[in-house]
Amino acid sequence: MRTVHQTLQDADEAVLTSMAVAWGLKPIPADNDELIDRLTDTMLDATNAEKVWTSLNDAQRQALQTLLGSSGKMSWPMFSRLFGEIRRMGRGAVEREQPHKNPANVAEALFYRGLIAEAYQMGDAGSQAFAYIPEDLVLVLPSHKTAYDDIEAPDVEMAPIEPGNVTETRRADTSIVDDMTALLAFLQLHGSPVDGDNLAPDAVRALQAHLLTKGEARVAFMLTVGVSAELIDVQDGRAYPRRADARRWLTANSSEQIEWQVRAWLDSEVYRELFLVPGL
């Protein structure tokens, strides 16, 4: 993986200018070396990274979560199929189009902000392009920050619960969206054997590092809800994402993603909640 500084050194001058504007760098140095040094410091400041993260929309944040769920990189053709092709612009076009403000798609919004980049590595078929997030930028992005801000409640009737019957509570969050994104990315890259109602133990352990809420039960829940939501398919004892449905879910907004999962959970004939009741 590459660092922010290495990524900026390889970037086109027009792209550097776009990144500088997106990250609020003022004044923008005319000297490229100074611009790269100052932009590196700006991007690796946690406060600045949180501001840029917050400025993204749901689809853009989910694309980054998808990359993070695949260890920070993904083949360029696959990333483009999921999130769009990037227009390669010269300085005049960047100044005119301002792609960091008016992107044609999700991939372009991330690329012209410097949140993703393209590089090449040798594979079985020769040199292959891949999309990646600079490794030191991964450490400062607030990717574990989730909230229900501006999310409408799903149109689902739920039975009321008496407060006195609740012994353990926690604040609601949207971590299930991020964790499902990580699971889909993991299955897209690796597939996984299925062991009963869960992934195989090795796959469960490998997936843990990419989840906001960890644990074997969490993975089992996401797998069965994913199957019920028709996001995941199990064939010949292995789990894979259903590409068309997964792409639709990944490009939906957060409220739609959550409602999709809630309805799948409520209607699921796969997830056996009674098995989790102590003594049964």
Side-chain angles (χ1 to χ4, degrees):
M1 290 282 283
R2 298 167 62 78
T3 65
V4 167
H5 195 267
Q6 290 169 330
T7 299
L8 297 180
Q9 286 180 316
D10 291 340
D12 183 82
E13 184 177 343
V15 178
L16 283 175
T17 301
S18 174
M19 293 178 190
V21 173
W23 285 81
L25 189 61
K26 294 179 182 179
I28 299 176
D31 179 76
N32 258 22
D33 290 338
E34 182 184 353
L35 173 57
I36 288 170
D37 288 342
R38 286 188 56 195
L39 188 52
T40 297
D41 292 339
T42 299
M43 292 175 68
L44 294 180
D45 179 88
T47 300
N48 295 330
E50 182 169 4
K51 288 179 182 177
V52 171
W53 176 271
T54 303
S55 74
L56 302 177
N57 62 32
D58 290 338
Q60 292 159 6
R61 279 192 289 268
Q62 285 303 313
L64 286 179
Q65 292 286 9
T66 301
L67 266 183
L68 291 169
S70 58
S71 301
K73 69 177 183 179
M74 180 184 295
S75 75
W76 191 264
M78 182 185 298
F79 189 81
S80 297
R81 283 197 301 272
L82 287 171
F83 304 112
E85 296 284 350
I86 295 172
R87 296 172 294 173
R88 307 295 178 159
M89 302 182 187
R91 191 180 189 90
V94 166
E95 292 176 352
R96 183 174 62 254
E97 300 291 339
Q98 296 189 321
H100 63 285
K101 291 183 178 179
N102 307 297
N105 50 52
V106 169
E108 200 167 278
L110 301 179
F111 180 79
Y112 282 102
R113 285 180 168 93
L115 295 169
I116 66 166
E118 181 182 16
Y120 292 83
Q121 66 181 11
M122 292 303 297
D124 295 338
S127 181
Q128 298 174 337
F130 64 93
Y132 71 96
I133 305 173
E135 59 185 1
D136 44 357
L137 184 60
V138 169
L139 301 177
V140 296
L141 287 175
S143 57
H144 285 40
K145 183 179 179 182
T146 61
Y148 268 114
D149 297 339
D150 302 321
I151 294 180
E152 298 178 1
D155 184 20
V156 177
E157 293 186 6
M158 304 287 284
I161 300 176
E162 293 296 331
N165 295 332
V166 179
T167 58
E168 188 175 328
T169 63
R170 72 172 190 174
R171 187 176 182 273
D173 59 43
T174 58
S175 62
I176 187 63
V177 172
D178 301 311
D179 285 348
M180 183 64 76
T181 300
L183 174 60
L184 292 172
F186 181 85
L187 294 179
Q188 177 64 46
L189 288 173
H190 308 291
S192 171
V194 173
D195 184 3
D197 291 334
N198 208 343
L199 300 182
D202 287 348
V204 172
R205 285 191 291 271
L207 183 60
Q208 294 301 313
H210 308 297
L211 300 182
L212 300 182
T213 302
K214 306 183 189 304
E216 184 177 335
R218 176 70 159 192
V219 178
F221 175 75
M222 291 194 299
L223 176 63
T224 50
V225 169
V227 170
S228 300
E230 299 185 340
L231 300 175
I232 297 171
D233 198 10
V234 177
Q235 298 179 7
D236 299 324
R238 296 185 69 87
Y240 301 94
R242 296 170 61 116
R243 292 187 181 182
D245 293 305
R247 187 179 297 113
R248 283 176 48 226
W249 183 82
L250 286 167
T251 55
N253 62 45
S254 290
S255 60
E256 292 170 335
Q257 290 175 317
I258 292 170
E259 182 172 359
W260 192 327
Q261 290 178 295
V262 168
R263 290 190 181 279
W265 167 52
L266 291 175
D267 297 338
S268 178
E269 297 180 359
V270 180
Y271 187 61
R272 302 177 179 90
E273 290 154 304
L274 288 178
F275 282 12
L276 302 180
V277 178
L280 289 183

